[in-house]
Amino acid sequence: TIMIFVLLTSYGISHFNMYLMPTAMVGMLITILLRAESAIIINTAIAILISILLEGNLGIGIMSLCGGMVGIYIVDSPEQRNTIVLSGIGVGIANALSIVGIDLMGTTTYSTTLITVLYGIGGGFLSGVLTVGTLPVWENLFKVITPLKLVELSNPNQPVLKRLLMEAPGTYHHSVIVANLAETAADSIGANSLLARVGAYYHDLGKLKRPYFFKENQLSRDNPHDKLNPTLSTHVITMHTKDGIDIAKQYKVPETIQAFIVEHHGTTAVRYFYHKAKSQDESVKLEDFRYSGPKPQSRETAIVMMADTVEAAVRSMTEPTPAKIEDFIHKLIREKLEDGQFDECPLTLSDLNTIANSFSSVVTG
């Protein structure tokens, strides 16, 4: 769709001046929305197609190829929309150098070359402007979450995050620490650290519905669970994942982030209430005290699951030391592994060890 859009736009602009065509935007858009490797292939194809459309104009093909490659290099993993506009200047310079190089091999006059160079720079700038202008359309049309979108979602002024801060401050603080742990761990194994951080910010949105039922939001010694039977308490606790999805949909949080809400507990059991119920009735089953899942499907959601567990558990340790913290973190992750929570995500045992060491260094600090 992007190829067709860029080809039609470029062909229309070519009737005014062919050096003003924003061909580089195809590579820039695909780099941001998908990956640079795909963008390189598509950019090469566009350069060839543009040459054919303009009756075999080799100069335009070379300019499109060089400008597109520069644009791809500059916008790879951008975190500010300004980067894309600035990349347009880089594309314009590449266009200008390509034009000068081609004209030097011909008999074009200096004044004609100068005018052409100015159009080439304009084409680069136009590529940047159109990329920024149309990016939200592609993001929403194809439900693609880009680094730029993630940066926007991480802004504390997002309405749902502001609500979390006001109504469940303990959960907000917990989420920020989980985000720090998750980002560092994701970096250590080459996963998407920005996605892990933003997912951690939103993973406990469901606690907004009944914030006082969660320990981190209880400002006094009163605990409402003391007045409930263990089965009902388990239902209240485990429902926060489903409640979170409802709130996320209400605030139009992307599906990629919603995955963190439903997967960060997987199918783990609420063992405290299970043992409490077991002491009252021997016939209760552990399966009745589990979250509904699904288990983590990606490395990032699995990392947030571990970070969530580690943050809550280590905070409750008495007399923590670096050695005790490290052993405890490895034990917590090993329990998740033995419970089968990582069966559906592409994490290796080596990854788990690296993640545990990363958590230890952050928590100790």
Side-chain angles (χ1 to χ4, degrees):
T1 306
I2 291 170
M3 281 184 72
I4 292 167
F5 173 77
V6 173
L7 279 171
L8 291 174
T9 303
S10 297
Y11 187 68
I13 291 174
S14 70
H15 292 300
F16 177 73
N17 189 287
M18 60 185 177
Y19 292 99
L20 194 59
M21 295 188 300
T23 53
M25 72 178 287
V26 71
M28 294 158 71
L29 279 170
I30 292 173
T31 300
I32 297 166
L33 294 165
L34 297 173
R35 56 186 181 275
E37 293 84 358
S38 300
I40 290 168
I41 295 167
I42 300 300
N43 181 64
T44 305
I46 280 284
I48 294 167
L49 288 169
I50 286 292
S51 293
I52 294 168
L53 276 173
L54 299 178
E55 299 175 355
N57 191 318
L58 184 61
I60 286 292
I62 293 170
M63 185 195 79
S64 299
L65 183 66
C66 295
M69 292 299 180
V70 170
I72 290 167
Y73 176 77
I74 297 174
V75 301
D76 197 13
S77 299
E79 294 192 359
Q80 297 291 335
R81 293 195 187 268
N82 290 345
T83 306
I84 304 173
V85 178
L86 291 173
S87 72
I89 297 171
V91 172
I93 293 169
N95 287 352
L97 292 174
S98 301
I99 291 165
V100 170
I102 293 162
D103 283 2
L104 284 173
M105 294 186 290
T107 57
T108 313
T109 62
Y110 290 123
S111 59
T112 304
T113 299
L114 179 61
I115 293 169
T116 307
V117 163
L118 291 174
Y119 276 119
I121 293 171
F125 185 72
L126 189 60
S127 294
V129 170
L130 286 175
T131 300
V132 171
T134 62
L135 186 59
V137 176
W138 308 116
E139 287 175 339
N140 294 314
L141 191 61
F142 295 103
K143 308 296 182 187
V144 177
I145 187 161
T146 64
L148 294 167
K149 184 68 174 177
L150 288 172
V151 170
E152 288 177 5
L153 288 168
S154 69
N155 189 329
N157 287 318
Q158 287 285 337
V160 71
L161 292 183
K162 287 181 75 173
R163 190 180 157 197
L164 192 67
L165 175 60
M166 297 299 293
E167 297 177 28
T171 296
Y172 181 87
H173 181 253
H174 159 75
S175 298
V176 170
I177 299 174
V178 170
N180 291 338
L181 287 167
E183 182 179 43
T184 306
D187 264 334
S188 70
I189 64 165
N192 188 332
S193 58
L194 182 58
L195 177 60
R197 167 174 279 280
V198 177
Y201 285 150
Y202 289 81
H203 80 285
D204 269 344
L205 285 187
K207 292 181 180 179
L208 277 170
K209 193 161 186 180
R210 304 176 189 89
Y212 192 59
F213 280 83
F214 298 89
K215 189 70 176 174
E216 66 267 24
N217 297 312
Q218 293 168 5
L219 303 180
S220 66
R221 295 194 176 191
D222 293 331
N223 188 337
H225 291 289
D226 295 337
K227 301 169 186 174
L228 301 178
N229 68 58
T231 304
L232 184 56
S233 289
T234 300
H235 177 72
V236 170
I237 295 295
T238 56
M239 274 298 291
H240 87 268
T241 54
K242 292 179 180 177
D243 292 336
I245 289 296
D246 293 338
I247 294 168
K249 288 178 178 176
Q250 178 188 338
Y251 285 91
K252 294 182 171 56
V253 175
E255 290 180 9
T256 308
I257 303 301
Q258 290 180 29
F260 287 86
I261 297 172
V262 290
E263 294 174 19
H264 79 275
H265 280 295
T267 57
T268 54
V270 186
R271 291 185 180 274
Y272 174 81
F273 291 117
Y274 166 68
H275 290 302
K276 188 176 178 181
K278 191 81 171 173
S279 66
Q280 299 171 5
D281 181 2
E282 284 290 329
S283 65
V284 297
K285 297 177 182 177
L286 183 62
E287 299 307 311
D288 296 331
F289 290 81
R290 289 186 179 274
Y291 282 88
S292 58
K295 295 176 181 179
Q297 303 294 304
S298 68
R299 293 189 297 173
E300 290 79 14
T301 53
I303 287 169
V304 169
M305 168 189 269
M306 289 181 271
D308 184 47
T309 303
V310 164
E311 196 281 328
V314 172
R315 182 156 34 87
S316 64
M317 283 181 71
T318 54
E319 300 180 10
T321 64
K324 284 170 69 176
I325 288 171
E326 186 174 351
D327 289 344
F328 190 37
I329 287 172
H330 277 84
K331 176 177 175 289
L332 291 169
I333 292 176
R334 189 165 58 250
E335 286 174 354
K336 294 288 184 189
L337 175 66
E338 290 169 356
D339 194 33
Q341 296 303 317
F342 307 133
D343 289 354
E344 298 174 17
C345 66
L347 279 176
T348 65
L349 292 174
S350 175
D351 288 338
L352 293 177
N353 189 56
T354 304
I355 289 165
N357 292 335
S358 170
F359 286 162
S360 298
S361 63
V362 174
V363 171
T364 303

